[in-house]
Amino acid sequence: MLMNQYYGDKGIGYRLTRVVVASSDFSTHPYSYNDVQDDFEMVNFNLTIEDYLYKLPYIKQALALSKANDIDLKLFCTAWGPPGWMKQNGEMQGGSPLKGAPDGVYYKAYATYYKRYFEEYDKEGIRYWMMTPTNEPREGRSANYSFQVVNFTSEAECDFVKYALGPMLRSSDLTKDMKLFIGDENRYAFPDFAETCLGDAETAQYIDGFAWHWYEDENIPPTVIDETNQNHPGYMNLYTEACGGWKNSMGPLMGEWERADEYAHDIIEDISHGVQGWVDWNIVLDGQGGPDWVNNFVDAPIIANYTSDEFIKQPMFYVMGHFSKFVLDNYTRVDFESSNDDVEGVAFIAPGGDQRVVVLHNLSGNTTESCTIQDQAKTTRFANIQLPPASIATVIYSIS
């Protein structure tokens, strides 16, 4: 029932889903797929009980539900970090670089670790559309970072792609067509990661896009997206992680609309600046905002109550649905202009050029805003819309 909310015929039509390679902070404990010291060839690589009980069954269910609805669900993945023995600090958690030289055995072992992961998941009938080298690489600058991470500067990520990950992906029939996005970081990592990695021709040949996170977006203007894309046109841009409740009042706030408001604004802002997709973090959490082995509790679009076998859809769920349900992956964004500072929006044209989709968001939390939608392709037709305070609305119309 819960999976149907995202992937079923009456769900909100998710077309992208992120999968964690091994463990993250939202695991019950830290684990890797190979803890055997210096096993560079990954002879002892094994999936874990978490994969067989909690990941693979639900991924397969999501794929089956999507296929039944003629949706080509695209999966992408990343690891929060390598096994601890590959890092200088010897642990999965805590900021630390990989051991050795960029063209050495540890960098190549991390790439082989990914290779074995893709092989094992392929045995289960699961293939990936895209991956990133690692999650939030700049957070690894902190030696006391509380959970799994690796310290990749832009130069280190460039070297990892050039000497190990890129050649590994392209040398295998299983992964040769897989997309590789760099970053998987907040706006402050750009345009540095793009400049460094694409400034090296050997690395650039393997890169297909940029992965962004939403944390700190309120402090860093979206012009950094513009700058990155102006300097490096033709690359895809995907927001790969976002969640409410990650600061101040951490964890779930039941029925809290402000977090939905923040989602709506950020999605519209990012798409308006050239981002092609926006992915939420956890599809479901418990009432505390976990499980999370370091108590890094946050909110999610669906909160489950395990004791009563029920779940609650948060306002964020419905905001996500305005985009995932009505803006399909073959739609084209077109210019949207608003003369009202309290009304923001984004507009799309469906294939064929007739149908339009306009998503509107009232930024005012106090007043109902009146607005008129007028299409430049047919100015004689228009629609008057009333937007209640802090509301979001999707308008679908045809110009024929």
Side-chain angles (χ1 to χ4, degrees):
M1 180 67 175
L2 191 153
M3 294 291 285
N4 278 303
Q5 307 305 310
Y6 289 110
Y7 306 103
D9 59 347
K10 293 181 173 60
I12 57 174
Y14 268 21
R15 286 168 167 75
L16 289 168
T17 293
R18 187 189 195 203
V19 180
V20 176
V21 177
S23 61
S24 73
D25 48 322
F26 283 90
S27 301
T28 57
H29 63 285
Y31 64 89
S32 84
Y33 295 134
N34 188 353
D35 291 325
V36 177
Q37 184 75 28
D38 294 345
D39 181 8
F40 300 116
E41 300 302 320
M42 294 294 131
V43 174
N44 297 284
F45 183 99
N46 285 292
L47 299 181
T48 68
I49 190 171
E50 284 81 6
D51 294 276
Y52 293 113
L53 291 183
Y54 306 123
K55 291 185 181 180
L56 290 166
Y58 292 104
I59 294 171
K60 291 177 181 178
Q61 185 180 4
L63 288 168
L65 288 168
S66 299
K67 185 177 181 180
N69 293 302
D70 295 322
I71 292 176
D72 179 20
L73 179 63
K74 290 181 169 60
L75 302 175
F76 65 98
C77 68
T78 198
W80 263 231
W85 58 265
M86 296 185 192
K87 293 170 57 185
Q88 292 179 16
N89 71 348
E91 297 181 338
M92 291 191 74
Q93 61 267 33
S96 172
L98 290 177
K99 294 177 180 176
D103 59 351
V105 292
Y106 290 98
Y107 277 71
K108 291 176 182 176
Y110 193 17
T112 305
Y113 181 79
Y114 274 120
K115 177 183 179 182
R116 292 289 295 111
Y117 172 78
F118 294 129
E119 289 172 347
E120 292 302 313
Y121 264 60
D122 182 63
K123 292 176 184 177
E124 298 290 334
I126 295 170
R127 290 200 175 190
Y128 285 93
W129 163 70
M130 183 271 279
M131 70 166 298
T132 70
T134 200
N135 178 68
E136 296 189 344
R138 282 189 46 157
E139 309 315 305
R141 294 173 297 177
S142 171
N144 297 319
Y145 200 70
S146 62
F147 52 89
Q148 302 92 314
V149 73
V150 63
N151 181 8
F152 271 171
T153 62
S154 59
E155 292 80 8
E157 180 149 304
C158 172
D159 288 337
F160 178 51
V161 171
K162 175 168 62 176
Y163 292 115
L165 185 61
M168 180 279 292
L169 290 174
R170 298 298 178 259
S171 66
S172 169
D173 287 340
L174 180 60
T175 57
K176 65 182 181 180
D177 296 322
M178 189 182 298
K179 305 294 184 185
L180 178 61
F181 286 19
I182 56 169
D184 224 353
E185 245 309 355
N186 298 302
R187 286 179 182 175
Y188 50 61
F190 293 93
D192 176 37
F193 269 66
E195 299 293 339
T196 301
C197 293
L198 296 179
D200 184 302
E202 291 184 69
T203 305
Q205 65 179 315
Y206 301 117
I207 295 170
D208 301 287
F210 312 126
W212 307 74
H213 288 192
W214 92 315
Y215 312 103
E216 303 293 344
D217 271 10
E218 70 271 24
N219 298 320
I220 305 168
T223 50
V224 70
I225 305 174
D226 300 332
E227 180 183 355
T228 301
N229 287 310
Q230 286 165 4
N231 293 344
H232 306 285
Y235 289 87
M236 294 182 68
N237 291 267
L238 180 65
Y239 259 65
T240 52
E241 184 180 319
C243 64
W246 66 278
K247 61 178 182 178
N248 301 326
S249 299
M250 295 183 67
L253 291 176
M254 305 311 296
E256 172 60 50
W257 188 260
E258 183 178 350
R259 291 176 178 176
D261 229 18
E262 292 171 351
Y263 264 38
H265 171 69
D266 200 79
I267 295 171
I268 289 171
E269 178 180 83
D270 297 332
I271 293 176
S272 298
H273 287 268
V275 170
Q276 287 105 349
W278 202 95
V279 181
D280 181 61
W281 185 184
N282 296 285
I283 63 172
V284 58
L285 292 172
D286 63 25
Q288 193 175 17
D292 189 294
W293 74 275
V294 291
N295 298 329
N296 183 32
F297 302 123
V298 300
D299 210 341
I302 293 182
I303 299 299
N305 184 338
Y306 302 132
T307 59
S308 60
D309 194 27
E310 66 179 6
F311 59 85
I312 299 169
K313 291 187 281 190
Q314 293 276 63
M316 291 179 292
F317 174 88
Y318 297 99
V319 167
M320 293 295 294
H322 275 272
F323 298 91
S324 59
K325 185 74 172 179
F326 303 116
V327 182
L328 306 188
D329 51 7
N330 58 353
Y331 285 20
T332 301
R333 183 180 64 85
V334 294
D335 288 341
F336 174 91
E337 295 181 4
S338 174
S339 59
N340 185 338
D341 291 339
D342 284 329
V343 176
E344 63 180 355
V346 63
F348 305 87
I349 296 179
D354 184 47
Q355 181 175 289
R356 270 76 160 135
V357 177
V358 182
V359 184
L360 300 170
H361 178 221
N362 184 356
L363 291 165
S364 172
N366 302 311
T367 60
T368 295
E369 298 294 335
S370 300
C371 58
T372 300
I373 297 176
Q374 188 171 42
D375 198 306
Q376 293 301 305
K378 201 158 190 176
T379 57
T380 57
R381 298 181 66 184
F382 56 89
N384 295 320
I385 307 293
Q386 297 286 316
L387 294 174
S391 66
I392 184 170
T394 297
V395 181
I396 302 173
Y397 65 94
S398 172
I399 62 170
S400 61

